[in-house]
């Protein structure tokens, strides 16, 4: 094994965190589907898929370093939030938590002089900046839109066109 036991264990925890993120966002997407907010539902479904790809990146990395992947139980996400803004706020809080986890992993890599893992994690450090920014903007727009959820839908629709 080319990574330490401690690093292997931390990377396994992160795999669970990424699957957990996917679960949370998929559950949020389903709430939006129920409310006929199709653009928001699509945005969160896409996020959920992206989180799966993050989990796979960690899995592939652990395998490449001849570590042992332990797939653990994924915590159950809430099925219902009081409002769309509350659901988006939960996503903001979750992404901030994930950023902290990535930074802890990076700190361990630096402490262990594990340069390969540090390099691997660099992508996630940058990714988290984008994740927190985009979901925070969505939350701000949700607050501005208030009860006018069609405005929030229009905002998400134009995001798709911009990319
Ligand atoms: Mg992620």
């Amino acid at each position: 094994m080319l990574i330490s036991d401690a690093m292997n264990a931390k990377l396994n925890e992160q795999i669970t965190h990424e699957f957990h993120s996917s679960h949370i966002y998929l559950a949020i997407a389903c709430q939006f589907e129920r409310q006929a907010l199709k653009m928001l539902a699509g945005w969160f479904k896409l996020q959920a898929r992206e989180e799966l790809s993050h989990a796979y990146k960690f899995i592939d990395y652990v395998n490449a370093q001849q570590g042992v992947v332990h797939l653990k139980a994924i915590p159950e996400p809430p099925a219902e939030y009081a409002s769309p803004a509350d659901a988006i706020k939960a996503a903001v809080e979750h992404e901030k938590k994930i950023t902290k986890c990535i930074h802890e992993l990076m700190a361990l890599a630096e402490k262990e002089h594990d340069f390969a893992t540090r390099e691997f994690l660099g992508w996630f450090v940058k990714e988290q900046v984008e994740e927190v920014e985009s979901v925070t903007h969505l939350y701000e727009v949700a607050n501005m839109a208030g009860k006018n959820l069609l405005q929030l839908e229009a905002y998400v629709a134009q995001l798709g066109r911009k990319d």
Side-chain angles (χ1 to χ4, degrees):
M1 186 158 80
L2 304 167
I3 47 175
S4 70
D5 286 341
M7 182 58 79
N8 194 160
K10 270 280 202 196
L11 289 168
N12 276 323
E13 278 176 27
Q14 194 59 35
I15 292 167
T16 310
H17 292 325
E18 300 293 345
F19 280 127
H20 187 208
S21 302
S22 182
H23 255 43
I24 291 171
Y25 301 153
L26 189 54
I28 291 174
C30 291
Q31 176 169 352
F32 287 139
E33 288 280 358
R34 288 194 296 278
Q35 295 175 298
L37 298 166
K38 293 285 182 186
M39 293 296 164
L40 281 160
W43 195 90
F44 274 94
K45 268 192 210 160
L46 199 67
Q47 286 299 118
R49 276 194 214 107
E50 254 187 54
E51 299 305 338
L52 291 182
S53 79
H54 294 170
Y56 275 79
K57 272 186 200 282
F58 278 102
I59 288 168
D60 290 343
Y61 181 73
V62 172
N63 284 329
Q65 293 289 47
Q66 296 163 30
V68 180
V69 171
H70 283 278
L71 296 176
K72 312 231 168 104
I74 304 164
E76 186 179 327
E80 193 94 47
Y81 293 88
S83 70
D86 279 358
I88 299 166
K89 178 132 178 42
V92 171
E93 294 310 318
H94 187 73
E95 280 307 323
K96 285 183 180 165
K97 203 180 94 184
I98 294 295
T99 296
K100 202 164 162 260
C101 293
I102 298 287
H103 290 177
E104 281 172 14
L105 268 168
M106 187 61 113
L108 180 64
E110 291 195 343
K111 192 180 121 198
E112 293 186 347
H113 294 171
D114 179 347
F115 302 117
T117 302
R118 196 181 69 179
E119 195 69 16
F120 167 74
L121 290 170
W123 184 88
F124 283 94
V125 171
K126 279 188 259 168
E127 174 71 8
Q128 282 310 117
V129 174
E130 286 173 26
E131 297 273 67
V132 172
E133 185 191 19
S134 64
V135 77
T136 300
H137 281 174
L138 188 62
Y139 179 60
E140 284 164 1
V141 175
N143 279 328
M144 284 190 271
K147 286 197 191 312
N148 192 346
L149 296 174
L150 289 180
Q151 266 185 348
L152 186 55
E153 283 281 271
Y155 170 79
V156 178
Q158 62 82 33
L159 283 181
R161 281 203 299 272
K162 230 176 6 187
D163 289 342

